């Protein structure tokens, strides 16, 4: 993920949907009512076997199709689809069956608005009072219709999270309906719901194929990028991200590589104050950086020309200025996603040097590694440790700037416990610890400096031991491990043993006032225990 811990599409859909409006209780009850076949009137015959749906679903397909019909925009046939294969709310089901599937050969696409028909035929000499009354009636009716549309749209939004429901929808012209709404509707709420439904549909392979093959739909989606509504933009970026993660990533790459589109993406990420939109825009940038090489090679160079690395470092600086004060829980995921983007960029050939040579970034990452209360920012710290190791690997001379930083060593040891399930992250941490400690010349250090290192190492001895126990490192595991991982860990352990040995053998150790002999013996025993642990995993016996 570089260091990436991604949700699978189904899990991501559930997390995404939590952020948006859910359908009302009445809609949920209606959906539930369609689940029980026994609720259908007994006098209605079942459809012939050859006309039944080939998709099994827990929600009555006819109910889903009825929701799609209710989203059909007014006068869409005149505005959009007079030339296309559309559907009419008054058409019969496909093939005349009772299965409820939409007719895809109709010439019009329309939805009835709840209006008083007599208002349409009022005489021209209507008095002023009648006109006002009629206008108020129409406004009320329009408002009510909008509310109903929104409720039906939210139900479809939720249902689209299911693969079965999503496939049923695209087979029944939901994309035609949504595309028409994006073109003709002036309501940002309508656009948000349409984009949300498309976003959920795009999490599934077959519906995504339909999205990219639907003429004009991708262009309509990209056009929404230039709206000023944050919720619409969140959904647009979610669709873009799903597209780049799908098998259709090449098609999405071609659609997104226009300069004005890339510039708009950068502008939104840099200027938005909305946390959710910031997170979604940076997640899209991660998808670009981690996409297939033939795709990323087309998008990354123009993004770099537009200042991608500077943007990410600026965003990290902003988040760190907030995180070092009173932590805002809502902002913690932002810090993590920005670090993931920078770490992904640092792993790319041809671009890593630009990241690693940035002194501001180097200091910011050090600050992340030293943050207190790491449990709150565990994922960010692990990502920062991998990024830091990448930077040191690219520019070894940076190690001279951290050789005496005991607090950095303490921070790295703390992070070990959060990387227990990530071997790559553990390797990165041990590599950095080795680089830090190998520069420690214990024979040339003052006794007070040596004591600082000993105090940190002994206080973190449980974390060191737990790290080895968690991996169940034995000789077989060590033999099967990558040699660079073994070497980094071995170098770090040898350095730890050297520091502890120098301390225990020193005759100049200070005698602290108020320290009892029992406390002194306990400290000595803790040092010996840590030395035994290091020797064990080095395959060396500790001398008595």
């Amino acid at each position: 993920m570089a260091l990436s811990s991604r949700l699978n599409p189904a899990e991501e859909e559930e997390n995404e949907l939590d952020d948006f409006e859910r359908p009302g209780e009445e809609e949920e009850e209606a959906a539930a009512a369609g689940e029980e076949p026994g609720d259908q009137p007994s006098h209605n015959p079942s459809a012939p076997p050859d006309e039944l749906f080939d998709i099994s679903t827990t929600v009555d397909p006819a109910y889903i199709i009825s929701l799609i019909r209710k989203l059909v925009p007014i006068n869409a046939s005149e505005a959009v689809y007079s030339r296309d294969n559309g559907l009419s709310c008054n058409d019969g089901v496909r093939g005349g069956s009772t299965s409820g599937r939409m007719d895809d050969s109709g010439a019009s696409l329309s939805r009835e608005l709840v209006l008083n028909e007599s208002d349409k035929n009022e005489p021209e000499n209507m008095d002023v009072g009648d006109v006002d009354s009629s206008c108020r009636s129409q406004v009320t009716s329009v408002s009510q219709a909008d509310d109903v549309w929104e409720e039906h749209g939210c139900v479809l939004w939720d249902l689209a999270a299911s693969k079965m429901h999503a496939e049923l929808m695209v087979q029944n012209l939901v994309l035609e309906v949504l595309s028409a709404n994006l073109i003709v509707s002036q309501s940002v709420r309508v656009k948000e719901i349409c984009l949300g439904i498309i976003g959920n549909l795009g999490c599934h392979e077959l519906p995504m194929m339909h999205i990219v093959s639907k003429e004009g739909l991708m262009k309509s989606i990209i056009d929404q990028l230039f709206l000023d509504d944050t919720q619409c933009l969140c959904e647009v970026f979610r669709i873009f991200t799903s597209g780049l993660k799908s098998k259709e990533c090449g098609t999405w790459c071609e659609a997104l590589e226009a300069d004005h589109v890339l510039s708009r993406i950068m502008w939104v990420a840099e200027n938005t104050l909305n946390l959710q939109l910031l997170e979604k825009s940076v997640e899209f940038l991660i998808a670009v950086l981690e996409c297939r090489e033939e795709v990323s090679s087309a998008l990354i160079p123009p993004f770099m020309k537009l200042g991608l690395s500077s943007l990410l470092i600026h965003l990290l600086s902003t988040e760190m200025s907030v995180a070092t004060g009173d932590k805002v829980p809502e902002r913690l995921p932002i810090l993590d996603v920005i670090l993931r983007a920078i770490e992904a960029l640092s792993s790319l050939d041809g671009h890593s040097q630009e990241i690693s040579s940035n002194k501001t970034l180097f200091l910011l990452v050090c600050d992340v590694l030293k943050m207190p209360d790491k449990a709150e920012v565990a994922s960010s710290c692990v990502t920062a440790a991998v990024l830091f190791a990448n930077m040191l690997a690219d520019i070894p001379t940076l190690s001279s700037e951290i050789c005496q930083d005991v607090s950095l060593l303490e921070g790295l040891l703390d992070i070990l416990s959060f990387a227990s399930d990530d071997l790559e992250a553990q390797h990165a941490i041990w590599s950095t610890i080795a680089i830090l400690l190998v520069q420690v010349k214990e024979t040339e250090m003052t006794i007070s400096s040596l004591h600082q290192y000993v105090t940190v190492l002994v206080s973190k001895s449980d974390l060191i031991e737990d790290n080895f126990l968690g991996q169940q490192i034995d000789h077989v595991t060590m033999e099967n491990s990558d040699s660079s991982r073994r070497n980094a860990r071995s170098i770090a352990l040898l350095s730890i043993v050297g520091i502890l040995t120098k301390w225990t053998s020193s005759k100049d150790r200070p005698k602290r006032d108020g320290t009892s002999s029992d406390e002194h013996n306990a400290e000595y025993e803790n040092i010996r225990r840590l030395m035994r642990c290091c020797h064990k995993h080095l395959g060396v016996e500790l001398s008595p």
Side-chain angles (χ1 to χ4, degrees):
M1 168 180 147
L3 205 209
S4 82
S5 152
R6 293 263 191 277
L7 296 173
N8 59 48
E11 292 172 334
E12 184 174 2
E13 293 155 22
E14 293 178 5
N15 288 344
E16 292 294 343
L17 289 173
D18 289 339
D19 296 331
F20 300 101
E21 183 172 342
R22 316 292 287 188
E25 294 181 1
E26 294 180 1
E27 286 68 39
E28 292 177 347
E29 292 172 0
E35 297 177 4
E36 297 297 331
D39 292 343
Q40 299 174 358
S42 58
H43 60 275
N44 286 346
S46 300
D50 61 327
E51 294 179 354
L52 290 174
F53 285 101
D54 56 0
I55 298 175
S56 60
T57 171
T58 57
V59 178
D60 187 350
Y63 171 68
I64 295 177
I65 293 171
S66 71
L67 292 174
I68 297 174
R69 289 181 183 275
K70 291 169 183 175
L71 299 192
V72 176
I74 306 167
N75 297 327
S77 58
E78 298 176 11
V80 185
Y81 280 103
S82 59
R83 66 188 185 282
D84 269 353
N85 58 328
L87 73 157
S88 168
C89 288
N90 296 320
D91 287 340
V93 292
R94 181 175 299 164
S97 76
T98 58
S99 65
R101 193 184 292 256
M102 289 184 174
D103 181 9
D104 62 352
S105 61
S108 65
L109 195 65
S110 62
R111 176 169 68 98
E112 291 295 326
L113 179 64
V114 183
L115 285 175
N116 187 334
E117 289 298 325
S118 62
D119 291 341
K120 299 179 181 179
N121 302 315
E122 288 290 344
E124 293 183 4
N125 61 350
M126 182 190 303
D127 63 32
V128 175
D130 289 336
V131 172
D132 290 343
S133 175
S134 175
C135 288
R136 283 195 297 270
S137 174
Q138 290 188 29
V139 169
T140 301
S141 298
V142 170
S143 177
Q144 291 173 348
D146 289 344
D147 290 343
V148 171
W149 192 102
E150 181 176 330
E151 291 172 0
H152 294 147
C154 286
V155 175
L156 274 181
W157 190 341
D158 284 352
L159 291 175
S162 162
K163 179 182 177 182
M164 289 186 298
H165 299 152
E167 293 181 355
L168 175 65
M169 289 179 194
V170 296
Q171 289 179 15
N172 287 277
L173 307 182
V174 72
L175 293 179
E176 282 75 5
V177 173
L178 298 174
S179 180
N181 276 290
L182 288 177
I183 294 173
V184 304
S185 177
Q186 300 300 313
S187 166
V188 291
R189 178 58 173 157
V190 168
K191 290 178 181 290
E192 178 202 345
I193 293 172
C194 290
L195 292 167
I197 296 171
I198 296 172
N200 280 357
L201 293 173
C203 293
H204 313 291
E205 183 178 347
L206 180 62
M208 178 58 81
M209 291 173 59
H210 282 268
I211 290 171
V212 299
S213 61
K214 170 61 187 164
E215 183 180 358
L217 180 55
M218 290 179 68
K219 180 181 182 303
S220 293
I221 294 171
I222 294 173
D223 286 345
Q224 311 312 309
L225 180 64
F226 295 89
L227 293 174
D228 290 328
D229 182 76
T230 55
Q231 293 305 316
C232 287
L233 289 172
C234 285
E235 294 308 310
V236 169
F237 277 110
R238 192 162 72 96
I239 296 170
F240 289 172
T241 302
S242 296
L244 290 183
K245 291 181 180 179
S246 73
K247 293 181 179 180
E248 309 300 326
C249 58
T251 307
W252 278 104
C253 174
E254 293 176 6
L256 294 170
E257 60 185 357
D259 289 343
H260 72 287
V261 174
L262 301 183
S263 297
R264 173 65 175 177
I265 290 170
M266 292 285 288
W267 187 91
V268 171
E270 183 176 7
N271 292 282
T272 183
L273 299 177
N274 182 278
L275 298 183
Q276 186 185 23
L277 179 54
L278 177 57
E279 183 176 5
K280 296 301 178 189
S281 60
V282 178
E283 283 179 349
F284 166 73
L285 294 173
I286 293 175
V288 171
L289 296 169
E290 296 181 346
C291 203
R292 292 203 311 250
E293 183 177 356
E294 61 270 23
V295 175
S296 61
S297 61
L299 291 178
I300 293 177
F303 268 128
M304 294 299 288
K305 288 181 180 178
L306 290 171
L308 177 59
S309 58
S310 298
L311 168 65
L312 293 174
I313 294 170
H314 169 71
L315 293 176
L316 177 61
S317 176
T318 300
E319 291 307 311
M320 283 302 296
S321 65
V322 175
T324 52
D326 294 333
K327 288 187 176 65
V328 181
E330 293 78 10
R331 300 197 73 99
L332 297 182
I334 308 298
L335 176 63
D336 184 42
V337 76
I338 294 171
L339 283 166
R340 284 169 47 205
I342 299 174
E343 191 272 319
L345 187 56
S346 74
S347 302
L348 295 177
D349 294 336
H351 303 291
S352 59
Q353 285 289 328
E354 184 174 345
I355 288 294
S356 301
S357 61
N358 190 289
K359 185 64 176 292
T360 300
L361 176 62
F362 183 79
L363 296 176
L364 285 170
V365 177
C366 283
D367 290 341
V368 175
L369 297 175
K370 298 177 188 177
M371 288 179 72
D373 303 322
K374 289 186 174 61
E376 298 180 5
V377 288
S379 179
S380 297
C381 290
V382 172
T383 305
V386 176
L387 171 58
F388 199 66
N390 289 346
M391 297 177 75
L392 290 175
D394 281 339
I395 305 181
T397 55
L398 290 173
S399 60
S400 61
E401 301 185 28
I402 57 172
C403 61
Q404 301 295 324
D405 198 334
V406 180
S407 60
L408 180 61
L409 172 64
E410 184 176 12
L412 289 165
L413 291 171
D414 282 332
I415 297 170
L416 271 177
S417 60
F418 302 120
S420 58
D421 298 328
D422 191 331
L423 292 178
E424 291 299 326
Q426 289 192 48
H427 171 55
I429 294 170
W430 279 115
S431 296
T432 306
I433 292 174
I435 291 172
L436 255 174
L437 294 181
V438 78
Q439 298 180 82
V440 175
K441 307 298 182 184
E442 58 269 15
T443 57
E444 302 174 6
M445 295 177 67
T446 64
I447 198 67
S448 60
S449 297
L450 184 63
H451 184 247
Q452 284 184 324
Y453 279 96
V454 171
T455 301
V456 168
L457 291 171
V458 171
S459 67
K460 306 301 178 184
S461 60
D462 288 341
L463 296 176
I464 297 172
E465 289 186 62
D466 290 344
N467 180 256
F468 291 127
L469 292 174
Q471 297 181 65
Q472 296 182 341
I473 295 180
D474 52 25
H475 293 295
V476 175
T477 305
M478 293 292 286
E479 289 173 4
N480 293 334
S481 297
D482 180 83
S483 59
S484 63
R485 294 179 185 176
R486 296 199 307 272
N487 290 341
R489 187 167 47 238
S490 297
I491 291 171
L493 294 179
L494 285 171
S495 297
I496 292 173
V497 170
I499 291 171
L500 297 178
T501 301
K502 175 61 178 177
W503 174 254
T504 55
S505 62
S506 175
K507 297 180 180 179
D508 299 325
R509 282 180 294 165
K511 295 182 179 180
R512 289 173 293 172
D513 295 337
T515 303
S516 65
S517 58
D518 289 341
E519 290 174 328
H520 178 77
N521 292 336
E523 180 186 70
Y524 180 76
E525 181 55 37
N526 287 334
I527 293 173
R528 295 286 293 178
R529 181 166 61 89
L530 179 55
M531 292 177 68
R532 281 194 296 270
C533 174
C534 294
H535 278 96
K536 175 183 177 182
H537 295 292
L538 286 168
V540 180
E541 290 292 333
L542 176 64
S543 57

